[in-house]
Amino acid sequence: MRSSAPVRGLVRTAAVLVAALAATVTAAPLTGTAEAHEAVTGSLSFSGEPGEYISGGQSYTYTPETTEMFDISGPVSQSAVGATVVTPEGKRWSLHMEAPYGQKLTSGATYANTSSWPDARPEDPQLQFSETDRYCESGTGSFTVSHIAYGPYGYIREIDATFERYCSGSTLPVRGELHARMPEPPAELAVGMDLDTTGTVDTRTGEITVGGEVTCNKPARITLTASAYQTQKRGTASGSQEDLVVLCEPGAPVPWTASFTSNIDPTASFQPGAAVLRGIGRADDRDYPASVDTGFQSAEITLVRS
């Protein structure tokens, strides 16, 4: 019976530490819309007949060179594209084209019988076009995506589309075209972690100090969780520190340290000798709606008297 107790303790300690680490992990893309990016080249042009509300019966053409903002964005699902154009006079034109629920925007496709939020049903394509002072909530129309190309996480690299929208039952449509070419997509965030194989222990308090290094391919705010356990003859020392923030810059490994006592179901205090250190880090990609992690890291370490 005595020989099985340390084994049971080790299994329980490992399970607790793994659960604590797992609570901090996600590698899946976040939902929502990717960061908007300024078009390098392109144009938004539209016009309407006299009496058409949105255009005021006028013709307009805007380009990135002639506006304060010419942003293109889209969701991770590749189901929609949005364009926001702000003129030097402060007018904000907004265009939104979206495929029916569960579908992606596809080159060469025409989406007819559009609706708009909040009237749109899941099976309806959606189209909205408005200016800050000229907005109609309901309307019908259609749009054609002649060409669309994507980068990571729904980043829209290229878009060519035409649209036609009738505002609130009007028989006069506003007709327009959107063309945009975007900058080369930013690199996807990649982060890594290494663990030091030596740590220190204060034998008076049982506090250990352990550490390692993190790496990144672009600036990132990495949140770390470090844990350790040490199996002794009379029990197990196990502890962790969560939410340790490391500001990582690319180019060279960034060191980190964590200090903690045996604080997870302790039956002993840390002592000089062999132990196991585990760690994981997570960071949000500032360019894309995604979080990435370093993966679980584990190393046998030696604790020396501080």
Side-chain angles (χ1 to χ4, degrees):
M1 295 297 291
R2 290 182 180 179
S3 61
S4 64
V7 174
R8 289 199 301 270
L10 177 59
V11 170
R12 171 173 171 75
T13 298
V16 171
L17 293 175
V18 169
L21 290 171
T24 71
V25 178
T26 176
L30 304 176
T31 59
T33 301
E35 184 79 13
H37 293 273
E38 184 86 9
V40 175
T41 61
S43 64
L44 173 65
S45 58
F46 57 93
S47 62
E49 299 177 16
E52 195 283 314
Y53 175 66
I54 297 297
S55 68
Q58 302 295 314
S59 298
Y60 300 87
T61 297
Y62 298 110
T63 67
E65 296 80 13
T66 61
T67 55
E68 298 297 317
M69 177 188 293
F70 198 115
D71 280 3
I72 304 295
S73 63
V76 171
S77 62
Q78 301 182 4
S79 61
V81 59
T84 302
V85 172
V86 178
T87 71
E89 299 78 27
K91 290 187 176 182
R92 179 182 292 266
W93 294 94
S94 298
L95 172 65
H96 178 80
M97 296 176 287
E98 184 172 347
Y101 180 78
Q103 298 182 26
K104 296 180 179 181
L105 290 180
T106 305
S107 295
T110 294
Y111 301 85
N113 301 316
T114 63
S115 187
S116 56
W117 187 90
D119 300 324
R121 300 167 299 177
E123 63 269 24
D124 293 335
Q126 296 186 46
L127 173 64
Q128 180 62 270
F129 182 61
S130 62
E131 188 263 324
T132 306
D133 298 322
R134 290 180 177 270
Y135 177 85
C136 59
E137 187 171 90
S138 61
T140 60
S142 65
F143 63 91
T144 297
V145 178
S146 55
H147 172 71
I148 191 167
Y150 292 99
Y153 297 109
Y155 180 98
I156 297 176
R157 303 182 65 160
E158 301 174 351
I159 176 68
D160 295 293
T162 59
F163 63 93
E164 176 181 271
R165 189 168 192 264
Y166 296 83
C167 184
S168 301
S170 171
T171 59
L172 301 175
V174 56
R175 295 186 175 95
E177 298 184 11
L178 173 66
H179 306 279
R181 299 295 181 268
M182 308 303 293
E184 194 65 22
E188 298 176 62
L189 177 63
V191 294
M193 175 189 288
D194 288 321
L195 302 177
D196 293 340
T197 57
T198 301
T200 62
V201 57
D202 185 332
T203 55
R204 296 173 301 169
T205 64
E207 182 179 74
I208 64 172
T209 299
V210 293
E213 297 176 333
V214 293
T215 57
C216 54
N217 63 337
K218 60 183 180 180
R221 185 177 186 271
I222 304 177
T223 302
L224 305 180
T225 293
S227 64
Y229 70 88
Q230 183 182 56
T231 303
Q232 302 170 8
K233 292 183 178 180
R234 297 184 178 180
T236 300
S238 58
S240 69
Q241 180 175 335
E242 301 178 9
D243 300 326
L244 176 65
V245 175
V246 180
L247 300 180
C248 185
E249 292 289 338
V254 179
W256 59 269
T257 60
S259 298
F260 50 86
T261 59
S262 182
N263 54 28
I264 301 178
D265 293 341
T267 57
S269 297
F270 286 111
Q271 299 293 330
V276 174
L277 174 64
R278 287 174 171 166
I280 192 169
R282 183 187 66 186
D284 293 337
D285 193 322
R286 66 179 188 176
D287 295 307
Y288 301 110
S291 290
V292 298
D293 66 71
T294 62
F296 287 108
Q297 305 297 318
S298 180
E300 295 183 359
I301 66 172
T302 301
L303 296 176
V304 298
R305 191 187 303 271
S306 62

